[in-house]
Amino acid sequence: MVAPCPDPRAPQAPHRRRLITAAGAGLATIAGCGLVGGGQPTGRGSPVMDDFPPMPPGPAVPASAAALAITARFGRGINFGNMLDAPREGDWGLRVEDRFIALIGEGGLTRSVRLPVRWSNHAAADAGAAIDAAFFGRVQDVVDRLLARGATVVLNMHHYRQLDGDKPDPGDRLVEPAVAPLRLLSMWRQIAERFAAYPPQLVFEIYNEPHGALEPHWNELFSRALAVVRRSNPTRAVVVGPTHWNAPIHLPRLVLPADPNLILTVHHYEPFDFTHQGAEWIEPRRPTGVDCCDAAQREAIEAPLALAAQDAARRGLPVFVGEFGAYGQAPAEARLRYLRLKRDAMERRGMPWFYWELAAGFGVYDPMAGRYREPLREALFGP
Ligand code: BGC
């Protein structure tokens, strides 16, 4: 149960990003090296870490034809961001609306949705983490309606702030630090069982952007989570990305269990000072007025993709970009240039992608006007 410590001298990706508290609540949970706090029963009938053994060790295996096919189907996708990943749906000004679902498949634009969900805020605070029935039903209904439109859906777990040692958001449910990683495993047991009979067009992503306090434990926690998913979903495609907010530069540290139905993901917001200029949730706030894309910025776009492509080829796994985008405060023309360059760089390497995001601060769709922001739509989905 105790994982070896990482080499503290190993290189870090530049700056990514927001507020990590040095003494965050999550650090008590995942302190030192190896997952702790789960070895002792937390109460009668409560799950403990030993109830979630990791995947058996074995030599790496290349991806199955099914995993390759489902990744190819992702094509050009969209993140339904700031909806079910807010502390409560609606807290960040957006809900998953019928009109958003109706966009999927419309005009051949996109048939792929990544659905970020803050499960941790809708589950019991103990190690069993029973997911609230109403919320579970809500997520299932959204998944059902997306699948009914012919979508491929990546259903994830997003913003379990305590696990990363981040500052909680207003409205976040705080739990005993000792049960935080166990709750992730218990939630995945429930999610996996609930969707076990679903078609392969539903894909699971265990955790968005592992970072901070979770980094030294990510390989182990992922292996345990995959094992629990595999009990009910022996062959469903499961997405996994590296630490440090899914930074491609951290791919070499990602040690994966032998499983032919894994898909690699990376997130790619470089050049960060351009894409996150003026973003309120980044500290320190990046100044606005940054242009794109000079030679250094173009290199910052290309190099991480080259790394990701190499790593995926070495492992024999497919890879896609689960998030990229530029916040709405970037100068308009530069933003379009950036999107076009990024899209071309990903597609030249045969990498499917999901734009961050549909209808909030990065949004390709204007929810007030009820239509796409045409220049953005064109840069992303146009010919
Ligand atoms: C986060 C969002 C954020 C985006 C860009 C995502 O992973 O979930 O909250 O807006 O990255 O920074």
Side-chain angles (χ1 to χ4, degrees):
M1 189 165 61
V2 175
C5 289
D7 180 350
R9 294 159 305 175
Q12 296 283 310
H15 53 238
R16 295 293 303 273
R17 71 201 180 176
R18 57 175 95 71
L19 332 153
I20 300 178
T21 52
L27 290 183
T29 310
I30 330 181
C33 302
L35 295 172
V36 297
Q40 299 302 316
T42 52
R44 196 156 169 264
S46 260
V48 295
M49 201 50 88
D50 289 345
D51 294 328
F52 298 102
M55 293 286 284
V61 286
S64 67
L68 294 170
I70 204 82
T71 313
R73 272 183 68 115
F74 289 162
R76 298 170 174 169
I78 189 80
N79 276 282
F80 271 29
N82 288 23
M83 302 177 196
L84 292 161
D85 48 330
R88 305 263 149 197
E89 186 181 9
D91 280 3
W92 289 349
L94 280 182
R95 302 178 59 80
V96 181
E97 294 181 34
D98 292 349
R99 62 187 176 131
F100 298 156
I101 292 174
L103 293 170
I104 303 309
E106 182 67 24
L109 231 50
T110 177
R111 286 198 177 280
S112 301
V113 174
R114 182 167 175 266
L115 188 65
V117 179
R118 194 182 301 221
W119 295 99
S120 57
N121 227 22
H122 302 273
D126 63 8
I131 297 172
D132 302 346
F135 185 74
F136 221 160
R138 167 68 174 147
V139 175
Q140 185 168 18
D141 181 55
V142 170
V143 168
D144 286 347
R145 285 188 291 145
L146 287 169
L147 290 174
R149 289 200 63 83
T152 307
V153 178
V154 179
L155 175 64
N156 87 351
M157 184 175 291
H158 214 88
H159 288 331
Y160 188 173
R161 302 269 194 221
Q162 250 185 299
L163 207 53
D164 297 299
D166 280 358
K167 227 173 76 174
D169 286 323
D172 259 343
R173 171 172 289 179
L174 290 181
V175 302
E176 269 304 311
V179 299
L182 271 169
R183 289 179 80 243
L184 176 139
L185 298 166
S186 292
M187 288 186 276
W188 271 112
R189 183 187 55 70
Q190 297 164 73
I191 300 163
E193 285 172 3
R194 179 88 162 224
F195 292 105
Y198 274 55
Q201 289 75 20
L202 177 65
V203 172
F204 295 153
E205 179 179 348
I206 299 298
Y207 191 52
N208 177 64
E209 299 189 341
H211 62 272
L214 182 53
E215 297 210 356
H217 315 288
W218 174 233
N219 290 331
E220 181 188 349
L221 186 61
F222 175 75
S223 179
R224 291 179 188 273
L226 182 64
V228 78
V229 165
R230 286 289 173 252
R231 289 183 208 161
S232 54
N233 292 253
T235 59
R236 183 173 307 284
V238 171
V239 169
V240 58
T243 47
H244 220 64
W245 293 271
N246 291 154
I249 198 174
H250 274 227
L251 276 167
R253 298 183 198 181
L254 182 65
V255 180
L256 292 178
D259 185 298
N261 291 301
L262 295 180
I263 300 173
L264 280 179
T265 190
V266 292
H267 290 184
H268 187 15
Y269 285 103
E270 300 297 336
F272 195 75
D273 288 344
F274 172 74
T275 64
H276 278 69
Q277 54 189 295
E280 297 79 9
W281 63 98
I282 303 298
E283 279 193 358
R285 177 97 55 102
R286 301 301 199 274
T288 50
V290 180
D291 198 9
C292 201
C293 305
D294 64 19
Q297 290 170 317
R298 287 202 300 275
E299 179 58 16
I301 289 175
E302 295 286 341
L305 294 174
L307 274 181
Q310 274 164 21
D311 186 275
R314 176 179 68 78
R315 297 179 200 258
L317 296 180
V319 61
F320 70 101
V321 177
E323 289 187 19
F324 74 100
Y327 193 46
Q329 293 207 32
E333 287 302 317
R335 194 172 175 215
L336 298 178
R337 277 196 299 279
Y338 156 80
L339 290 179
R340 195 61 212 219
L341 274 172
K342 190 84 149 230
R343 165 186 150 180
D344 288 349
M346 294 183 290
E347 294 187 353
R348 205 185 322 118
R349 293 183 169 85
M351 280 185 202
W353 51 258
F354 290 77
Y355 180 66
W356 184 269
E357 33 64 34
L358 182 69
F362 290 66
V364 61
Y365 185 84
D366 182 343
M368 306 298 274
R371 56 178 139 73
Y372 279 106
R373 298 190 165 103
E374 197 46 38
L376 291 183
R377 188 200 65 76
E378 175 74 15
L380 286 166
F381 298 106

